[in-house]
Amino acid sequence: MEFRTGYIAIVGRPNVGKSTLLNHLIGQKISITSRKAQTTRHRIVGIRTDEDAQYVFVDTPGFQMQHQNVLNRVMNRTVTQSISDVDVVLFVIESMRFDERDEKVIALLPRDCPVVLVINKLDKVGDKADLLPFIEKVSASFPFAAIIPVSAKRGAQVPELVREIRRHLHEGEPIYGEDEITDRSERFLAAEIVREKVFRLLGDEIPYSISVEIEKFETEGNLRRVFAAIIVDRDSQKPILIGKKGEKLKEIGTQARKDMEELFGKKVYLEVWVKVKSGWADDERAVKSLGYE
Ligand code: GDP
Ligand code: MG
């Protein structure tokens, strides 16, 4: 069988299970790289390398349409530009749930690149017979290349999904070495992990415009020293993040550190604090300086 390789974007509204799915898709084989990342405009979030294919999963920072500000406009621009030069897009939704937020994502899907509809959380569907009319309804909304129901949490049907993705990759040599791991990618992952914990612990209390900046990332043998700033729009958001007696921030830090230790296979010293960057979400220049160009 010929070797195939290519870029894959995972999109969908928050909470449909994109991160969970990505973790299953790359599994233990996680080998994040950025050494040759200049070959792509995308931020690589994970790579899976099998005998017969290399799957490079990339980030699409858009699809966060909770607030209409400059940040979102810039991000959506990025999405529309960057999404069309991947080999395949996975559009993830939740089983039996399809609302206007999903429809907004559909509006941004590229027409010139295959889109696979991934219906996640299959394990939550009591009566599987309900699924068929649901699939019919959703499939009418876009010309999907394929429709695959999965349970990302349990890993159910993930191999089927991988096989479907492979069909859309192009013939070619692996782009990245299997064991390439760089500090820069760890740094990027560290920011993503902190960001994920903020949303996991605070959910709707905090707007999507928050960001995380890794101000310092030190490598010292088996230790990583990470200094992360959570950047909020307004002063009023600061106490929400910090919590009573600093409890929230402490919890964010503890959970993030554990995840980093697991992912990097290293000891991690993590410091997290909150910074107010007043109005940054409405300042296009600041947005660009954070790398969303
Ligand atoms: P994201 O915002 O799209 O990245 O979603 P996450 O991966 O963070 O998942 C959101 C929530 O859905 C988490 O609580 C997950 O544990 C849960 N979740 C993800 N996949 C599944 C699944 O297949 N079944 C069930 N029951 N829950 C899931
Ligand atoms: Mg996520």
Side-chain angles (χ1 to χ4, degrees), residues 17 23 71 79 89 91 97 103 133 137 140 150 164 200 204 222 239 269:
N23 286 340
L71 178 64
V79 170
V89 175
F91 171 46
R97 278 185 72 174
E103 277 167 16
K137 188 184 98 185
V150 302
E164 179 61 34
R200 187 136 298 173
D204 295 338
N222 253 353
Y269 170 84

Side-chain angles (χ1 to χ4, degrees), residues 14-15 17-20 196 200:
N15 271 318
K18 296 181 297 297
S19 301
T20 312
E196 188 213 320
R200 187 136 298 173

Side-chain angles (χ1 to χ4, degrees), residues 12-21 120-124 150-154 196 200 208:
R13 66 166 168 83
N15 271 318
V16 290
K18 296 181 297 297
S19 301
T20 312
L21 181 65
N120 189 29
K121 309 197 185 182
L122 196 54
D123 56 290
K124 281 173 81 176
V150 302
S151 170
K153 205 171 189 170
R154 307 211 173 145
E196 188 213 320
R200 187 136 298 173
Y208 266 85

Side-chain angles (χ1 to χ4, degrees), residues 97-149:
R97 278 185 72 174
F98 185 75
D99 58 33
E100 68 282 356
R101 292 176 302 164
D102 300 297
E103 277 167 16
K104 277 186 188 161
V105 180
I106 284 200
L108 293 171
L109 292 175
R111 296 277 168 166
D112 52 355
C113 153
V115 178
V116 173
L117 175 66
V118 180
I119 304 179
N120 189 29
K121 309 197 185 182
L122 196 54
D123 56 290
K124 281 173 81 176
V125 183
D127 188 351
K128 298 286 184 276
D130 293 339
L131 206 58
L132 206 58
F134 176 75
I135 290 177
E136 269 170 19
K137 188 184 98 185
V138 180
S139 61
S141 61
F142 191 87
F144 296 108
I147 299 172
I148 317 262

